[in-house]
Amino acid sequence: MPAKLIKGTEIREQILEEITAEVAQIKEKHGVVPGLVTILVGENPASISYVTLKIKTAHRVGFKEVQDNQPETISEDALLNLIDRYNKDDTIHGILVQLPLPKHIDEKKVLNAIDPDKDVDGFHPVNVGRLMIGGDEVKFPPCTPAGIQEMIVRSGVETSGAEVVVVGRSNIVGKPIANMMLQKGPGANATVTVVHTRTRNMDQHCKRADILIVAAGVPGLVKPEWIKPGACVIDVGVNRVGEKISEKTGKKVAILKGDVDFDAAKEIAGWITPVPGGVGPMTITMLMKNTLKSLKFRLGIA
Ligand code: GUN
């Protein structure tokens, strides 16, 4: 039997509706709404399209949204001063600096300058530490891993005692999702293995997985014979493998392929995420969730 599709586009709608309702309630009771600032440096087309979607989503759920566009030539000091201003602004609960930054700016310095209590991306070392400790310590789980966990839970996949294999060890997906899945608590309590470019017999590890999370950035890396029948397969890969003309708009669009051979894998897996329309839509959704959480922490109602 073909796998059940875990559609990020549908789960996103459920979560955004929940967020919209909660924002309205808080506004009525406390007279405030979550405030999110998105700082975009330069004119990288991919960054512009991500940021545009973030703004649109923030407006949809009733946030105050500040779009702060800065020229490519902004100095590191000026950017650090700008962040400091938003750190002190009580109407702003989430600060997002869109990455990548121009080469003359030290990305690490910039991310470390964001107040950890407004770091809704979850990239600040304080939030990475909080995530590692787990439980009530966690404030802002990074958005893509948080989206993955939410998809697994909302699909009714059992995680407690499950064998989870994570392919990839990046700081923004592989390492945090592995850490989150092994914590005590709902949607976790799993036995976790992380495999990477130096792993021997990657296929043998993957074959053991009840839940296989693939974030390698290599199109079609995971072959159907690596998948345990009935497993839950989460494909985080979004690889541009070519271009085509969109039937809807008549414009050139990228052809996207995941890290898993989807057509073959769906005949073996129990659940699977498509690419596109799987994990992708969850990242911005969880950014909204983190920004709402930030306001709730501030109000003491989280
Ligand atoms: N650039 C691409 N993805 C992201 C993201 O999730 N957060 C930030 N800050 N920049 C990005």
Side-chain angles (χ1 to χ4, degrees):
M1 200 174 74
K4 294 188 196 94
L5 277 190
I6 305 180
K7 292 184 184 162
T9 43
E10 283 177 9
I11 299 173
R12 166 182 64 191
E13 293 308 308
Q14 289 168 16
I15 298 174
L16 291 180
E17 276 174 27
E18 291 163 14
I19 294 174
T20 307
E22 214 176 336
V23 169
Q25 268 175 13
I26 292 175
K27 187 175 177 184
E28 195 175 315
K29 195 158 176 206
H30 299 273
V32 283
V33 296
L36 172 68
V37 60
T38 310
I39 301 173
L40 173 65
V41 179
E43 291 176 5
N44 175 326
S47 293
I48 292 172
S49 78
Y50 279 133
V51 164
T52 306
L53 197 53
K54 284 172 191 170
I55 299 166
K56 206 171 125 195
T57 312
H59 284 150
R60 174 180 161 183
V61 295
F63 288 6
K64 165 185 153 148
E65 214 286 335
V66 178
Q67 178 48 41
D68 195 330
N69 289 353
Q70 294 293 330
E72 180 92 18
T73 52
I74 188 174
S75 69
E76 190 179 275
D77 274 351
L79 184 57
L80 293 173
N81 284 335
L82 190 66
I83 291 170
D84 192 46
R85 219 180 70 209
Y86 288 118
N87 280 342
K88 292 176 178 145
D89 183 339
D90 284 341
T91 69
I92 294 296
H93 310 97
I95 302 172
L96 181 134
V97 180
Q98 186 67 26
L99 303 175
L101 288 169
K103 286 202 170 57
H104 67 278
I105 298 177
D106 183 345
E107 213 159 84
K108 215 191 271 175
K109 227 179 189 176
V110 168
L111 295 180
N112 290 0
I114 298 171
D115 177 349
D117 291 344
K118 295 189 179 188
D119 166 41
V120 285
D121 255 331
F123 292 164
H124 192 287
V126 166
N127 285 317
V128 176
R130 287 170 170 162
L131 192 78
M132 178 64 96
I133 296 167
D136 291 344
E137 220 37 59
V138 182
K139 285 206 152 177
F140 305 119
C143 301
T144 302
I148 293 170
Q149 194 175 37
E150 195 81 42
M151 294 176 101
I152 294 171
V153 169
R154 288 186 188 236
S155 304
V157 176
E158 181 59 80
T159 60
S160 185
E163 290 274 353
V164 170
V165 176
V166 177
V167 183
R169 52 178 162 177
S170 70
N171 285 331
I172 57 169
V173 184
K175 282 194 257 182
I177 190 63
N179 179 54
M180 288 162 75
M181 297 307 292
L182 62 79
Q183 299 288 350
K184 281 186 185 164
N189 284 321
T191 303
V192 180
T193 305
V194 181
V195 303
H196 48 77
T197 44
R198 299 294 174 96
T199 298
R200 278 179 276 135
N201 305 322
M202 193 184 281
D203 57 332
Q204 296 301 321
H205 290 286
C206 291
K207 273 184 201 171
R208 278 200 336 265
D210 300 310
I211 301 173
L212 182 60
I213 301 171
V214 192
V218 180
L221 172 73
V222 171
K223 310 288 176 261
E225 57 274 18
W226 296 17
I227 295 168
K228 179 172 163 178
C232 170
V233 179
I234 307 287
D235 189 351
V236 191
V238 185
N239 306 291
R240 286 164 189 257
V241 294
E243 282 183 336
K244 62 177 181 185
I245 303 293
S246 161
E247 279 175 24
K248 255 197 218 159
T249 63
K251 286 187 186 160
K252 244 192 217 170
V253 289
I255 300 172
L256 302 177
K257 196 165 184 268
D259 289 351
V260 177
D261 178 351
F262 177 82
D263 288 334
K266 77 177 192 314
E267 302 302 325
I268 300 161
W271 294 263
I272 192 165
T273 59
V275 177
V279 176
M282 296 300 291
T283 302
I284 291 178
T285 306
M286 301 318 284
L287 176 73
M288 300 301 135
K289 197 159 178 176
N290 275 351
T291 308
L292 171 60
K293 246 173 135 183
S294 180
L295 172 61
K296 288 166 72 180
F297 284 127
R298 190 59 60 91
L299 294 171
I301 56 170

